[in-house]
Short mmCIF file of all heavy atoms in Angstrom, two decimals:
data_model
loop_
_atom_site.label_atom_id
_atom_site.label_comp_id
_atom_site.label_asym_id
_atom_site.label_seq_id
_atom_site.Cartn_x
_atom_site.Cartn_y
_atom_site.Cartn_z
N GLU A 1 12.75 16.25 -12.09
CA GLU A 1 13.33 14.98 -12.55
C GLU A 1 13.55 14.00 -11.38
O GLU A 1 13.95 12.85 -11.60
CB GLU A 1 14.69 15.18 -13.25
CG GLU A 1 14.55 16.10 -14.54
CD GLU A 1 15.89 16.33 -15.15
OE1 GLU A 1 16.89 15.75 -14.65
OE2 GLU A 1 15.99 17.05 -16.12
N PHE A 2 13.35 14.49 -10.16
CA PHE A 2 13.77 13.72 -8.97
C PHE A 2 12.51 13.36 -8.11
O PHE A 2 11.49 13.99 -8.17
CB PHE A 2 14.75 14.47 -8.13
CG PHE A 2 16.03 14.92 -8.88
CD1 PHE A 2 16.07 16.19 -9.39
CD2 PHE A 2 17.07 14.06 -9.05
CE1 PHE A 2 17.24 16.59 -10.09
CE2 PHE A 2 18.14 14.38 -9.82
CZ PHE A 2 18.23 15.74 -10.30
N SER A 3 12.75 12.29 -7.37
CA SER A 3 11.72 11.89 -6.37
C SER A 3 12.31 12.30 -5.02
O SER A 3 13.48 12.25 -4.71
CB SER A 3 11.48 10.40 -6.39
OG SER A 3 10.81 10.07 -7.66
N VAL A 4 11.33 12.66 -4.08
CA VAL A 4 11.76 13.06 -2.74
C VAL A 4 10.78 12.37 -1.70
O VAL A 4 9.72 11.98 -2.10
CB VAL A 4 11.84 14.53 -2.54
CG1 VAL A 4 12.77 15.18 -3.49
CG2 VAL A 4 10.38 15.14 -2.64
N PHE A 5 11.24 12.28 -0.47
CA PHE A 5 10.29 12.06 0.58
C PHE A 5 9.67 13.34 0.98
O PHE A 5 10.35 14.25 1.49
CB PHE A 5 11.07 11.42 1.82
CG PHE A 5 11.30 9.94 1.71
CD1 PHE A 5 12.41 9.42 2.24
CD2 PHE A 5 10.42 9.12 1.05
CE1 PHE A 5 12.67 8.08 2.17
CE2 PHE A 5 10.64 7.75 0.97
CZ PHE A 5 11.76 7.20 1.46
N ASN A 6 8.35 13.51 0.73
CA ASN A 6 7.72 14.70 1.03
C ASN A 6 7.59 14.85 2.54
O ASN A 6 7.06 14.03 3.25
CB ASN A 6 6.30 14.69 0.43
CG ASN A 6 5.73 16.06 0.32
OD1 ASN A 6 6.41 17.00 0.24
ND2 ASN A 6 4.36 16.15 0.32
N PRO A 7 8.18 15.90 3.10
CA PRO A 7 8.29 16.01 4.60
C PRO A 7 6.87 16.31 5.24
O PRO A 7 6.01 16.82 4.60
CB PRO A 7 9.18 17.18 4.78
CG PRO A 7 9.11 18.03 3.62
CD PRO A 7 8.87 17.01 2.47
N LEU A 8 6.79 15.91 6.49
CA LEU A 8 5.57 16.13 7.28
C LEU A 8 6.02 16.98 8.37
O LEU A 8 6.79 16.63 9.22
CB LEU A 8 4.98 14.87 7.79
CG LEU A 8 3.74 14.95 8.59
CD1 LEU A 8 2.58 15.52 7.75
CD2 LEU A 8 3.28 13.60 9.13
N ALA A 9 5.48 18.29 8.48
CA ALA A 9 5.90 19.25 9.46
C ALA A 9 7.38 19.42 9.44
O ALA A 9 8.07 19.51 10.47
CB ALA A 9 5.50 18.81 10.88
N PHE A 10 7.93 19.53 8.15
CA PHE A 10 9.36 19.83 7.96
C PHE A 10 10.29 18.72 8.47
O PHE A 10 11.44 18.91 8.60
CB PHE A 10 9.77 21.15 8.60
CG PHE A 10 9.07 22.30 8.01
CD1 PHE A 10 8.03 22.80 8.64
CD2 PHE A 10 9.48 22.87 6.78
CE1 PHE A 10 7.33 23.94 8.12
CE2 PHE A 10 8.85 23.97 6.26
CZ PHE A 10 7.76 24.55 6.90
N ARG A 11 9.71 17.53 8.66
CA ARG A 11 10.51 16.35 9.02
C ARG A 11 10.28 15.17 8.08
O ARG A 11 9.12 15.04 7.58
CB ARG A 11 10.18 15.91 10.44
CG ARG A 11 10.54 16.95 11.53
CD ARG A 11 10.40 16.37 12.93
NE ARG A 11 10.75 17.33 13.92
CZ ARG A 11 10.93 17.03 15.24
NH1 ARG A 11 10.67 15.78 15.64
NH2 ARG A 11 11.29 17.90 16.05
N CYS A 12 11.28 14.37 7.89
CA CYS A 12 11.09 13.16 7.10
C CYS A 12 10.02 12.34 7.82
O CYS A 12 9.95 12.25 9.05
CB CYS A 12 12.39 12.36 7.01
SG CYS A 12 12.27 10.78 6.19
N ARG A 13 9.14 11.75 6.97
CA ARG A 13 8.06 10.91 7.52
C ARG A 13 8.53 9.72 8.35
O ARG A 13 7.72 9.05 9.05
CB ARG A 13 7.09 10.49 6.42
CG ARG A 13 6.35 11.66 5.88
CD ARG A 13 5.58 11.32 4.55
NE ARG A 13 4.94 12.42 3.94
CZ ARG A 13 3.62 12.77 4.17
NH1 ARG A 13 2.97 11.94 4.93
NH2 ARG A 13 3.12 13.78 3.62
N PHE A 14 9.78 9.35 8.18
CA PHE A 14 10.30 8.17 8.91
C PHE A 14 11.23 8.61 10.10
O PHE A 14 11.81 7.75 10.70
CB PHE A 14 11.14 7.27 7.89
CG PHE A 14 10.27 6.74 6.78
CD1 PHE A 14 10.22 7.39 5.59
CD2 PHE A 14 9.53 5.61 7.00
CE1 PHE A 14 9.46 6.87 4.58
CE2 PHE A 14 8.67 5.12 6.01
CZ PHE A 14 8.63 5.78 4.77
N TYR A 15 11.15 9.90 10.43
CA TYR A 15 11.92 10.35 11.57
C TYR A 15 11.14 10.05 12.84
O TYR A 15 9.97 10.40 12.95
CB TYR A 15 12.15 11.86 11.40
CG TYR A 15 12.97 12.56 12.47
CD1 TYR A 15 14.32 12.28 12.61
CD2 TYR A 15 12.37 13.46 13.28
CE1 TYR A 15 15.10 12.91 13.53
CE2 TYR A 15 13.19 14.12 14.27
CZ TYR A 15 14.54 13.84 14.40
OH TYR A 15 15.32 14.45 15.33
N THR A 16 11.75 9.35 13.79
CA THR A 16 11.03 8.95 15.00
C THR A 16 11.22 9.99 16.19
O THR A 16 12.11 10.86 16.08
CB THR A 16 11.59 7.63 15.47
OG1 THR A 16 12.91 7.77 15.99
CG2 THR A 16 11.60 6.52 14.39
N LYS A 17 10.43 9.79 17.15
CA LYS A 17 10.51 10.61 18.34
C LYS A 17 11.84 10.59 19.05
O LYS A 17 12.27 11.46 19.76
CB LYS A 17 9.33 10.29 19.30
CG LYS A 17 7.96 10.57 18.76
CD LYS A 17 6.94 10.23 19.84
CE LYS A 17 5.50 10.57 19.31
NZ LYS A 17 4.50 10.23 20.27
N ASP A 18 12.57 9.48 18.83
CA ASP A 18 13.86 9.34 19.47
C ASP A 18 14.95 9.92 18.58
O ASP A 18 16.15 9.76 18.94
CB ASP A 18 14.14 7.83 19.66
CG ASP A 18 13.16 7.15 20.59
OD1 ASP A 18 12.74 7.85 21.58
OD2 ASP A 18 12.83 6.02 20.42
N GLY A 19 14.60 10.56 17.50
CA GLY A 19 15.67 11.19 16.70
C GLY A 19 16.26 10.24 15.76
O GLY A 19 17.50 10.44 15.30
N LEU A 20 15.68 9.08 15.46
CA LEU A 20 16.33 8.02 14.69
C LEU A 20 15.49 7.82 13.39
O LEU A 20 14.42 8.34 13.22
CB LEU A 20 16.38 6.74 15.43
CG LEU A 20 17.20 6.81 16.75
CD1 LEU A 20 16.99 5.45 17.52
CD2 LEU A 20 18.66 7.02 16.44
N CYS A 21 16.06 7.02 12.46
CA CYS A 21 15.40 6.72 11.21
C CYS A 21 14.56 5.46 11.35
O CYS A 21 15.12 4.41 11.49
CB CYS A 21 16.38 6.63 10.13
SG CYS A 21 15.68 6.10 8.56
N GLY A 22 13.24 5.59 11.27
CA GLY A 22 12.37 4.44 11.40
C GLY A 22 12.61 3.46 10.32
O GLY A 22 12.49 2.22 10.53
N LEU A 23 12.94 3.97 9.11
CA LEU A 23 13.12 3.03 7.93
C LEU A 23 14.36 2.24 8.18
O LEU A 23 14.41 1.03 7.91
CB LEU A 23 13.25 3.91 6.68
CG LEU A 23 13.15 3.17 5.35
CD1 LEU A 23 11.86 2.41 5.18
CD2 LEU A 23 13.26 4.15 4.21
N GLN A 24 15.49 2.86 8.64
CA GLN A 24 16.69 2.15 8.93
C GLN A 24 16.50 1.11 10.05
O GLN A 24 17.00 0.00 9.99
CB GLN A 24 17.80 3.14 9.28
CG GLN A 24 19.11 2.42 9.56
CD GLN A 24 20.28 3.41 9.72
OE1 GLN A 24 20.13 4.57 9.35
NE2 GLN A 24 21.34 2.97 10.24
N MET A 25 15.76 1.50 11.08
CA MET A 25 15.59 0.61 12.28
C MET A 25 14.78 -0.65 11.76
O MET A 25 15.04 -1.71 12.27
CB MET A 25 14.73 1.33 13.31
CG MET A 25 15.51 2.53 13.96
SD MET A 25 14.47 3.44 15.02
CE MET A 25 14.05 2.29 16.29
N GLN A 26 13.89 -0.47 10.78
CA GLN A 26 13.09 -1.63 10.38
C GLN A 26 13.80 -2.48 9.29
O GLN A 26 13.65 -3.74 9.32
CB GLN A 26 11.75 -1.11 9.85
CG GLN A 26 10.79 -2.21 9.43
CD GLN A 26 9.37 -1.58 9.11
OE1 GLN A 26 9.10 -0.47 9.28
NE2 GLN A 26 8.54 -2.44 8.59
N LYS A 27 14.54 -1.86 8.38
CA LYS A 27 15.08 -2.61 7.23
C LYS A 27 16.57 -2.54 7.12
O LYS A 27 17.15 -3.20 6.28
CB LYS A 27 14.48 -1.97 5.93
CG LYS A 27 12.94 -2.04 5.86
CD LYS A 27 12.48 -3.50 5.60
CE LYS A 27 12.69 -3.88 4.18
NZ LYS A 27 12.12 -5.18 3.83
N GLY A 28 17.26 -1.76 7.94
CA GLY A 28 18.72 -1.69 7.86
C GLY A 28 19.25 -0.54 7.05
O GLY A 28 18.50 0.08 6.31
N GLU A 29 20.52 -0.20 7.25
CA GLU A 29 21.08 1.00 6.66
C GLU A 29 21.13 0.88 5.16
O GLU A 29 20.95 1.83 4.42
CB GLU A 29 22.56 1.18 7.09
CG GLU A 29 23.18 2.41 6.61
CD GLU A 29 24.59 2.60 7.08
OE1 GLU A 29 25.03 1.86 8.00
OE2 GLU A 29 25.26 3.53 6.66
N SER A 30 21.31 -0.38 4.59
CA SER A 30 21.42 -0.49 3.10
C SER A 30 20.10 -0.19 2.44
O SER A 30 20.07 0.05 1.16
CB SER A 30 21.86 -1.91 2.77
OG SER A 30 20.92 -2.88 3.23
N TYR A 31 19.01 -0.07 3.19
CA TYR A 31 17.69 0.15 2.53
C TYR A 31 17.33 1.59 2.42
O TYR A 31 16.52 1.93 1.63
CB TYR A 31 16.63 -0.52 3.48
CG TYR A 31 15.29 -0.69 2.78
CD1 TYR A 31 15.04 -1.81 1.86
CD2 TYR A 31 14.26 0.19 3.03
CE1 TYR A 31 13.80 -1.92 1.28
CE2 TYR A 31 12.99 0.05 2.45
CZ TYR A 31 12.78 -1.02 1.52
OH TYR A 31 11.58 -1.13 0.90
N ILE A 32 17.91 2.45 3.18
CA ILE A 32 17.58 3.91 3.15
C ILE A 32 18.18 4.54 1.89
O ILE A 32 19.07 3.92 1.31
CB ILE A 32 18.06 4.61 4.43
CG1 ILE A 32 19.59 4.59 4.57
CG2 ILE A 32 17.36 4.02 5.66
CD1 ILE A 32 20.05 5.30 5.82
N PRO A 33 17.65 5.66 1.49
CA PRO A 33 18.18 6.34 0.25
C PRO A 33 19.69 6.57 0.38
O PRO A 33 20.32 6.74 1.44
CB PRO A 33 17.44 7.69 0.27
CG PRO A 33 16.16 7.41 0.95
CD PRO A 33 16.53 6.46 2.04
N GLY A 34 20.35 6.59 -0.87
CA GLY A 34 21.80 6.78 -0.91
C GLY A 34 22.30 8.02 -0.23
O GLY A 34 23.32 7.98 0.50
N ILE A 35 21.54 9.13 -0.34
CA ILE A 35 22.00 10.33 0.24
C ILE A 35 22.01 10.26 1.76
O ILE A 35 22.85 10.90 2.40
CB ILE A 35 21.04 11.56 -0.22
CG1 ILE A 35 21.61 12.93 0.22
CG2 ILE A 35 19.66 11.36 0.26
CD1 ILE A 35 22.92 13.25 -0.37
N CYS A 36 21.05 9.52 2.34
CA CYS A 36 21.03 9.34 3.78
C CYS A 36 22.21 8.49 4.21
O CYS A 36 22.70 8.71 5.33
CB CYS A 36 19.69 8.65 4.18
SG CYS A 36 18.21 9.66 3.72
#
């Protein structure tokens, strides 16, 4: 019943090398999933 971000090598696809969320860096905290 749910949608997920399918991980790549056990990591979120938006996880950066700096250990940050690329999605949040690009669009802001309000844009990332509620659970995040």
Side-chain angles (χ1 to χ4, degrees):
E1 300 178 4
F2 304 97
S3 295
V4 300
F5 278 147
N6 200 25
L8 182 64
F10 296 98
R11 295 187 177 191
C12 176
R13 291 169 182 263
F14 296 96
Y15 185 66
T16 70
K17 294 180 180 180
D18 297 325
L20 301 172
C21 174
L23 192 59
Q24 180 175 344
M25 293 170 65
Q26 185 172 349
K27 300 287 286 187
E29 182 179 355
S30 63
Y31 193 81
I32 62 178
I35 188 65
C36 299

